[in-house]
Amino acid sequence: MWGLSDPVDSRVRFTAILEILLCSSVPTQLAIGAVLRLAGWPSVDAAGHLSFAFVFALSIADTLLVIALMVALMRAHGERSRRLWIGDRPVTREVLVGLLTVPLVLVAVGILLNALRLLMPWLHNVETNPLEQMAESPGQAAMFGLVAIVAGGVREELQRAFMLRRFEQYLGGAAVGVIVTSIGFGFLHGVQGRDAMIATGALGAFWAWVYLRRRSSIAPVVSHAGFNSLEILRVAMVGQ
């Protein structure tokens, strides 16, 4: 084992940090967004709202790129993506576990958001989630549901497993990974408001815990995708 002061160990840790940052979607989305703008795709529409077409293209492209990057990095380390993301448990059982958590997550998030708005109303600094404007019509809701499942449920949970593994290996352990990734997950949803940041951070911690307990991303993916889909359905029904 390398000591903490060993320069090789320092390089390994630094590499792990770079890999986490590279696969966090921040640099990839900035790059893809810049390319889309250069190609003439505006990020906002004439009304000043986020452009649905831009968000759709950005989310799908980023999902494909980030997954490809994680697979390439794991192969470079001699790791197997199937082992990390699928694990050894029966797939059907993991899907069922994920489905069973969806109503629990919905109730827990509702209680948390209502408690935050009652006890700390200043955290509710965004009246209308800007992303909800993309699910106002049935067609948009269906397309945005696809984005929520692919970019939210799939990409974010595969990212979470990849990052947790790097923390376990090189950066202080799984507990540190849960804390750091959950805080990051919350901050990346800052456009939805401070209360939503806290709620999404808590969600991230829950899905990280599920992954670490089961060593498979299937249940967190299904849970996350189910939660996102029901939230979009709720917005679409309210908007009608």
Side-chain angles (χ1 to χ4, degrees):
M1 293 291 292
W2 293 314
L4 291 177
S5 61
D6 193 305
V8 177
D9 184 67
S10 298
R11 288 197 296 270
V12 170
R13 291 170 183 267
F14 182 67
T15 299
I17 293 171
L18 285 180
E19 290 182 358
I20 287 172
L21 292 175
L22 179 62
C23 297
S24 69
S25 283
V26 174
T28 49
Q29 288 197 9
L30 288 174
I32 294 169
V35 170
L36 290 175
R37 291 185 186 92
L38 286 174
W41 288 40
S43 58
V44 295
D45 58 23
H49 300 147
L50 286 172
S51 165
F52 178 83
F54 182 88
V55 172
F56 182 88
L58 175 65
S59 300
I60 298 300
D62 181 61
T63 297
L64 296 174
L65 178 56
V66 167
I67 291 176
L69 283 171
M70 290 189 291
V71 170
L73 290 170
M74 283 189 280
R75 287 181 177 177
H77 288 285
E79 300 168 331
R80 295 170 55 197
S81 56
R82 179 180 177 82
R83 177 75 175 176
L84 178 72
W85 290 330
I86 306 299
D88 299 323
R89 295 177 183 267
V91 172
T92 303
R93 183 186 301 172
E94 293 306 293
V95 171
L96 180 59
V97 170
L99 289 173
L100 290 174
T101 65
V102 174
L104 300 176
V105 168
L106 282 170
V107 172
V109 169
I111 293 173
L112 177 58
L113 284 175
N114 284 321
L116 288 173
R117 290 168 186 178
L118 178 64
L119 301 175
M120 293 176 280
W122 60 88
L123 292 175
H124 186 54
N125 63 315
V126 176
E127 285 300 322
T128 303
N129 185 339
L131 297 179
E132 291 184 359
Q133 298 166 351
M134 300 181 188
E136 292 180 340
S137 70
Q140 281 189 333
M143 294 296 288
F144 192 54
L146 175 63
V147 171
I149 291 171
V150 173
V154 177
R155 187 199 69 209
E156 289 180 0
E157 294 311 315
L158 298 187
Q159 286 174 302
R160 200 183 316 280
F162 177 84
M163 293 177 183
L164 288 172
R165 180 60 179 158
R166 288 294 177 263
F167 275 98
E168 281 189 311
Q169 290 172 311
Y170 310 117
L171 299 172
V176 176
V178 171
I179 294 170
V180 174
T181 58
S182 300
I183 292 173
F185 185 57
F187 272 108
L188 289 176
H189 290 76
V191 67
Q192 300 175 38
R194 289 190 290 266
D195 50 355
M197 287 172 57
I198 294 173
T200 52
L203 278 172
F206 171 73
W207 286 320
W209 174 80
V210 173
Y211 173 79
L212 291 172
R213 284 295 301 270
R214 309 195 68 79
R215 295 295 169 172
S216 170
S217 291
I218 295 175
V221 164
V222 172
S223 179
H224 194 157
F227 172 80
N228 284 358
S229 298
L230 290 178
E231 280 293 290
I232 291 170
L233 180 62
R234 176 188 62 81
V235 172
M237 292 179 65
V238 170
Q240 289 181 353

